[in-house]
Amino acid sequence: MQRFDRTERWLHWANATLVGVLVATGAVLYSGDLSSIFGRRALIEQIHVIAGLCLPIPFLLALPGRRGRALRRDLNVLNRFSADDVRWLRSRGRDHTVRLGKFNPGQKLNTAFVGAALVTMLATGLVLRFFGPFPLAWRTGATFIHDWTALALGLAIAGHIALAVGDPHALRGMLRGTVPESWARRKRPRWYEAEHRPDRPPEDGGVSGRKIRERAGS
Amino acid sequence: MRILEDMDGTPVGRRVFLGLAAFGVSGIVWGSKAAGLMERLLGPITVKDGSGLLGLLPTGRFRIYSVVGSLPSRSTADWRLDVGGLVGAPYTIGYDELLAMPAVELTKDFQCVTGWRVPDVKWKGVPLAEVLDRARPQPGATALRLESFDGAYTESLTLDQARRSDVIVAYQLDGKPISSAHGGPVRLYVAPMYGYKSLKWLQRISLVDKVAPGYWEDQGYDVDAWIGHSNGRSDTPV
């Protein structure tokens, strides 16, 4: 069954590419050992800055209009924490009687954290690169925040990749858009049931027949 | 998916996002104070820690900058220092001869213009004044042009600045020969100025009649780079 539409997958992999470039070039700029191996600091810095400036573009392209409908809906889902989510968090994911929706609460927290971290990285990165108009203490503050946030973000990304690789079905959901029905029933029962409920209530004050057909077909 | 329980929950995700983002971005303003605190708390530990995990933390650590495509490297056997220009007795010395000159040790911070500071670094080397006097500067000589063997990095000092006792031609850092990453085998250490004045991979010193801006000064940094009194910064002087 469909988990992520084309826009969501495109956004994910566009972000993954940009963040991958940022992490790689950032690591070289940051680490003495890697700098020693690669040199070319000016070039690596330029790549890092350009990739950073591009960071908001995929999101801004994916969000509006019809093409961003699934994305906006999922962001709304990610925003909400159910009573089951709280139980899941309390048990640190070990309570298997919890019935989860489309995302587990760890994914929801990760989304909030990674989103905030990327905004922080972009803002502090801009101050680092274009420090002219700002007090110089800001540059020091931005360096400090940029470095520590990078460290935390790196850990979050490493965890994200490890979990994805450890669950091939979830990974397929982001690669091809679909997950096996059995996976959804087992791991995301509420989402599974919602998707299979014949009498789905209207969305955004009324769903047209066309939208229903689209969803049925997806 | 505007259905079933997914939409029932408490909308806290966005608040977490906004809260964290506000915390992070506002750090641009309060971060320099926090950074100073962290440097004081963690700096002395990380600088001694060497290769451990603490070395990966973004505090009290050197960051290695190279302005050319690779890290310049030269063995102590091949290393030479030329001292020339407006002098009575230009000379060239090798590594062993430099080590035979009267040395001084300084334990002082290294402050970068981009904000990071490594506390209590142990430096050992020959006072730049000694190196210069051996060449007998002519009366017209008022400034120095310093060149790195990387072929790109240059720096400048006035002769008065160069004669300060806290300006040395360094060959040891924290008790060890200076690695090429840190500008070895021989680099400058200009204690009272921002790090970019402490030219790495030192190869040539020329006495000249006026200051010519060096590599970073061409990029917009101040020529007189006193810590706390230049580049718009207010760091504690070293």
Side-chain angles (χ1 to χ4, degrees):
Chain A
M1 57 193 280
Q2 180 85 11
R3 183 159 160 86
F4 297 115
D5 77 349
R6 193 190 290 268
T7 304
E8 290 179 304
R9 270 145 45 213
W10 175 83
L11 174 62
H12 176 272
W13 293 109
N15 279 339
T17 307
L18 284 174
V19 171
V21 169
L22 286 163
V23 167
T25 51
V28 173
L29 294 173
Y30 179 74
S31 150
D33 293 336
L34 292 177
S35 300
S36 312
I37 296 167
F38 292 101
R40 294 204 179 278
R41 195 178 173 81
L43 175 68
I44 290 172
E45 192 184 309
Q46 221 162 18
I47 296 171
H48 190 77
V49 167
I50 291 169
L53 291 173
C54 290
L55 203 52
I57 296 174
F59 186 70
L60 294 177
L61 287 177
L63 198 62
R66 258 194 58 192
R67 85 172 87 96
R69 211 175 51 220
L71 173 64
R72 293 198 300 276
R73 214 165 47 197
D74 278 350
L75 283 173
N76 218 333
V77 173
L78 286 162
N79 181 24
R80 310 235 165 208
F81 285 71
S82 67
D84 281 72
D85 286 345
V86 175
R87 271 173 56 211
W88 187 92
L89 285 172
R90 288 242 168 87
S91 71
R92 289 196 206 94
R94 280 193 289 264
D95 185 346
H96 293 294
T97 63
V98 165
R99 289 167 55 74
L100 296 175
K102 185 168 184 177
F103 302 102
N104 79 39
Q107 291 172 312
K108 295 178 182 180
L109 284 180
N110 187 60
T111 306
F113 171 74
V114 170
L118 289 177
V119 169
T120 300
M121 292 302 278
L122 183 58
T124 52
L126 284 171
V127 174
L128 290 179
R129 177 64 187 79
F130 307 101
F131 50 84
F134 307 113
L136 267 126
W138 286 26
R139 201 175 158 198
T140 309
T143 305
F144 174 75
I145 298 291
H146 201 78
D147 286 354
W148 284 96
T149 308
L151 211 61
L153 188 58
L155 291 175
I157 292 169
H160 174 72
I161 292 172
L163 288 171
V165 170
D167 188 345
H169 295 312
L171 184 58
R172 197 186 82 170
M174 194 47 90
L175 281 167
R176 306 224 304 261
T178 57
V179 289
E181 301 255 344
S182 59
W183 182 91
R185 202 163 45 227
R186 196 162 34 87
K187 293 208 156 186
R188 299 291 186 270
R190 290 206 165 165
W191 174 57
Y192 176 83
E193 281 160 21
E195 290 288 298
H196 287 78
R197 224 165 67 157
D199 56 332
R200 286 191 270 191
E203 171 192 342
D204 298 329
V207 180
S208 69
R210 188 186 46 122
K211 279 184 182 168
I212 287 173
R213 272 199 304 281
E214 260 175 25
R215 280 211 308 221
S218 64
Chain B
M1 254 136 293
R2 193 183 178 79
I3 33 184
L4 284 186
E5 294 81 0
D6 266 349
M7 285 300 143
D8 296 346
T10 325
V12 288
R14 186 174 295 140
R15 284 178 224 163
V16 173
F17 163 75
L18 290 173
L20 286 173
F23 177 74
V25 174
S26 66
I28 293 168
V29 177
W30 53 260
S32 69
K33 285 200 174 66
L37 191 70
M38 288 297 248
E39 295 280 349
R40 277 195 297 284
L41 286 176
L42 292 176
I45 311 169
T46 47
V47 81
K48 305 289 182 292
D49 181 64
S51 59
L53 274 178
L54 281 176
L56 288 172
L57 295 182
T59 185
R61 62 202 298 280
F62 280 99
R63 281 123 209 238
I64 307 303
Y65 303 151
S66 167
V67 300
V68 294
S70 60
L71 196 73
S73 164
R74 190 158 293 183
S75 71
T76 55
D78 292 337
W79 180 84
R80 297 284 181 280
L81 174 65
D82 295 324
V83 184
L86 302 172
V87 295
Y91 68 93
T92 300
I93 51 170
Y95 188 74
D96 292 337
E97 289 167 276
L98 182 74
L99 264 60
M101 290 178 74
V104 290
E105 290 187 42
L106 303 172
T107 300
K108 283 181 176 291
D109 298 358
F110 189 83
Q111 172 75 54
C112 179
V113 74
T114 59
W116 53 271
R117 184 179 184 114
V118 186
D120 298 332
V121 185
K122 277 191 242 132
W123 302 92
K124 185 177 181 184
V126 181
L128 181 54
E130 298 269 353
V131 173
L132 297 176
D133 287 345
R134 182 165 159 171
R136 296 208 310 274
Q138 292 170 358
T142 58
L144 272 64
R145 177 180 170 76
L146 302 137
E147 289 171 59
S148 162
F149 60 73
D150 71 355
Y153 189 8
T154 58
E155 259 309 328
S156 68
L157 287 171
T158 69
L159 190 54
D160 287 341
Q161 290 164 359
R163 285 191 191 282
R164 288 175 59 111
S165 61
D166 54 359
V167 176
I168 65 173
V169 176
Y171 52 78
Q172 266 190 25
L173 192 158
D174 284 331
K176 286 179 289 197
I178 300 177
S179 68
S180 43
H182 286 293
V186 177
R187 69 175 295 169
L188 211 63
Y189 174 57
V190 183
M193 295 196 178
Y194 286 107
Y196 63 90
K197 298 298 279 193
S198 294
L199 183 110
K200 296 165 87 171
W201 311 293
L202 179 64
Q203 178 185 37
R204 181 172 295 117
I205 301 172
S206 309
L207 283 112
V208 292
D209 58 2
K210 65 173 191 290
V211 168
Y215 179 88
W216 288 108
E217 292 142 29
D218 284 337
Q219 316 278 318
Y221 291 94
D222 288 349
V223 175
D224 289 321
W226 304 109
I227 295 170
H229 304 283
S230 67
N231 295 293
R233 293 184 58 88
S234 55
D235 305 285
T236 314
V238 170

